[in-house]
Amino acid sequence: MPKGTRKHVVRRIVLRLPDLDHAKTSVLNSLSSPRSRRNYKFAMEQFIEWYCSEPRLALNRTVVLRFRLHLESVGLASGTINQRLAAVRRLAYEAADSGLLSPELAAGIRRVKGVKQLGCRAGNWLNQDQARLLLAKANGQSLRHIRDVAMISILLGCGLRRAELSALRREDIQIRQGHWAIVDLVGKGNHVRTVPMPIWVKEAVDRWLTAASVATGCVFRAVSRHGTAWGTGISENVVWYVVRNCAQRLELDHLAPHDLRRTCAKLCHVNGGELEQIQFLLGHASVLTTERYLGCKQNLEEPVNDRFGSLFSGGVDSR
């Protein structure tokens, strides 16, 4: 083609809804995890809705900074805001790779920093007596009670995530080195690990497998109103509802399946478990994540400000 007739490609700075939808689809197709696709889809749709509500905004660093201020004004947590900003950056990358956005503008968006998180949330967990009482409240003679006890036992004794629990198969439970274990469990980020299974957990699982006549496939199944097992598996929401209902019998508020995973880590640490072994048990890629679960840097059971006793022990004149 002659030099004078070459077409000059002009990359836009203002993206319309079809362009944003195209970039969003490209981002979702590049993600392998269903959880990541769900979170990124929600974050990108929120940004697109906000972006299109403003008149003729150029998609650049200044606009993303304004979006960050908008998220802060709503009162979202730092981690949530940073997750939304990561989705916006990914959206800008895909728009630039598709020729819809200038690479310079995409690079500027990349320089938008997230919100600093001051401190670390302690999270929620149970002590050993509360965990034992939770199992006692979940226990019963019906098939649904037998299933719920087995599910909570695995969450407390093995520290599985609810997605890992719902995908657990009968064939995954095997003997390794004379001990029952969940072999080659595929967890978050496709990390593969082997999780030891305590005897009391195995007994609860065997009781469910026998009562529900589960010989192969997914361990846990739905239970009908007539008290019979049906289907080929359960969803993650079933795990959430089971934990919530059992927690309500114990009058515990805001107890989630992940809190039982944190409880497993806490109980292992309190009873002398090594930090490295707890990391292997939970499947953390970094030991720093395990330390954050355990709260190793802050001891709430024996806090340092309890060591000097009570300042009111001698009596204080209220005058």
Side-chain angles (χ1 to χ4, degrees):
M1 181 182 294
K3 185 176 181 180
T5 60
R6 289 180 181 174
K7 180 181 282 187
H8 180 65
V9 178
V10 179
R11 300 191 178 183
R12 287 162 286 179
I13 62 174
V14 178
L15 299 185
R16 304 298 182 186
L17 186 57
D19 301 327
L20 293 170
D21 285 338
H22 175 77
K24 182 187 73 174
T25 303
S26 300
V27 172
L28 296 178
N29 290 336
S30 65
L31 300 173
S32 58
S33 171
R35 185 185 300 271
S36 297
R37 284 197 295 268
R38 183 173 64 248
N39 293 337
Y40 269 72
K41 180 181 179 181
F42 178 81
M44 288 186 294
E45 288 178 350
Q46 185 186 42
F47 171 75
I48 292 173
E49 181 181 359
W50 175 86
Y51 177 79
C52 293
S53 65
E54 300 289 335
R56 296 184 179 277
L57 285 178
L59 185 56
N60 54 24
R61 182 174 181 271
T62 303
V63 170
V64 178
L65 286 173
R66 289 176 55 183
F67 181 64
R68 189 185 72 176
L69 293 175
H70 166 70
L71 295 177
E72 292 177 351
S73 65
V74 177
L76 297 178
S78 301
T80 304
I81 294 176
N82 294 336
Q83 184 186 56
R84 306 283 170 84
L85 292 177
V88 173
R89 295 189 194 100
R90 193 73 174 264
L91 185 71
Y93 297 158
E94 291 296 336
D97 291 342
S98 302
L100 302 175
L101 187 67
S102 169
E104 292 78 12
L105 295 179
I109 294 174
R110 183 179 182 180
R111 292 194 298 269
V112 176
K113 295 182 179 180
V115 180
K116 290 185 178 180
Q117 184 172 353
L118 302 178
C120 180
R121 293 180 180 270
N124 189 19
W125 66 89
L126 306 177
N127 58 33
Q128 191 163 337
D129 293 334
Q130 290 175 324
R132 187 181 293 111
L133 188 57
L134 180 66
L135 283 171
K137 290 292 184 180
N139 197 11
Q141 298 300 321
S142 67
L143 187 62
R144 188 182 300 273
H145 285 101
I146 295 174
R147 183 201 63 179
D148 294 352
V149 169
M151 293 172 64
I152 294 178
S153 297
I154 293 181
L155 292 173
L156 285 172
C158 302
L160 266 61
R161 302 177 179 92
R162 61 174 180 169
E164 298 168 349
L165 180 64
S166 61
L168 181 64
R169 299 181 62 83
R170 176 66 181 85
E171 297 79 8
D172 298 334
I173 304 176
Q174 304 175 17
I175 293 181
R176 287 294 185 273
Q177 297 181 352
H179 196 286
W180 286 102
I182 302 174
V183 180
D184 295 338
L185 178 66
V186 181
K188 187 177 180 179
N190 292 327
H191 292 287
V192 180
R193 71 185 191 277
T194 295
V195 180
M197 177 177 286
I199 295 299
W200 61 273
V201 177
K202 182 63 168 58
E203 291 175 351
V205 174
D206 287 343
R207 185 186 175 199
W208 155 252
L209 294 176
T210 302
S213 301
V214 177
T216 184
C218 291
V219 171
F220 296 106
R221 313 292 173 88
V223 177
S224 67
R225 293 178 298 174
H226 306 289
T228 58
W230 65 279
T232 58
I234 59 173
S235 65
E236 298 180 28
N237 289 335
V238 174
V239 182
W240 189 86
Y241 281 114
V242 167
V243 174
R244 188 195 66 171
N245 293 335
C246 293
Q248 287 178 347
R249 300 173 200 164
L250 200 58
E251 297 183 354
L252 292 175
D253 296 329
H254 310 297
L255 187 69
H258 212 80
D259 297 327
L260 302 187
R261 172 175 164 86
R262 187 179 291 107
T263 299
C264 176
K266 289 278 188 180
L267 295 180
C268 290
H269 184 62
V270 169
N271 290 278
E274 299 178 0
L275 187 62
E276 182 184 26
Q277 294 301 317
I278 299 176
Q279 178 190 359
F280 289 148
L281 175 67
L282 300 181
H284 290 154
S286 172
V287 72
L288 298 177
T289 306
T290 309
E291 290 180 348
R292 187 166 62 247
Y293 263 60
L294 299 176
C296 295
K297 297 180 180 180
Q298 185 177 17
N299 188 352
L300 296 179
E301 294 185 359
E302 298 178 359
V304 292
N305 52 351
D306 277 352
R307 297 183 179 181
F308 53 78
S310 174
L311 298 180
F312 295 94
S313 58
V316 177
D317 193 349
S318 61
R319 291 177 298 176

